[in-house]
Amino acid sequence: MKPQLVIFDWAGTTVDYGCFAPVNAFALAFQKFGVTPTVEEIRAPMGMLKRDHIRTMLAMPAIRRQWEEKQGAFDEAAVEKIYGVFEDALMESLSQYAAPKPGVLGTVAELRARGMKVGSTTGYTDKMMAVVTAEAARQGYAPDAWFSPDSVQGLGRPYPYMIYANMAKFQIASVEQVVKVGDTVADIQEGKHAGVLSLGVLEGSSVMGYTQAEYEALPQAERQAAKDRAREIFLAAGADGVLGTLDQLPQWLENGQV
């Protein structure tokens, strides 16, 4: 069945190359309470609703140990304290991380030329998305719809409901007509739980975790090794395919591969 709707993630997929806005805000939030997470620990739950992201990090052994040493046992009050600092830090910086990634505008134009709708889902809240969508639109990127966890009773990734909200808006009859594209394991899980074709994208992804300058400066062998590692992460999560860059999507839709 021919796809009628492509649903993109935001940070790390269509904007914010490398997905750095939330990484920096999570680091600041935990450091505020004497806990220093690694970048790998911060990125592992990326794509989730942000409170769920914090809960997942607090359950990690090294972070839990640091928290208990500095703050005592953690509970929902701890989640809210960290979230408050995280949200403030993120809101202050979000507009600086809303630039469309290379290839996004051309890909969206091509999809629309084929008569397809462009939806989106996110781990950000509506309040955060008000900043991101305005700045992204100013720079030329505005999907036909977006839904946050706020739109679906807080049931963000890996739940499938934001995808179903996109389908309902565009009256898409079957999950066979939908493709989800994202840059995190949570994105792939969201898509698979919804029963739609799910693709990971490598360059500029949270899984790879490079700025554009860092990635372009890598020697060819290191660049390929990084891409291979990220590809395996997506495939292990159940991805139906992996794109090197977002502008490979139209070809994938034609051929089922790139």
Side-chain angles (χ1 to χ4, degrees), residues 209-252:
Y210 293 106
T211 67
Q212 187 171 357
E214 287 171 342
Y215 178 75
E216 291 175 352
L218 287 176
Q220 186 59 39
E222 290 184 31
R223 184 183 300 189
Q224 189 59 52
K227 290 168 67 173
D228 290 344
R229 286 192 298 270
R231 184 184 305 276
E232 288 305 312
I233 289 171
F234 284 128
L235 293 176
D240 296 293
V242 180
L243 307 171
T245 58
L246 209 59
D247 54 13
Q248 294 176 346
L249 178 59
Q251 180 186 342
W252 193 95

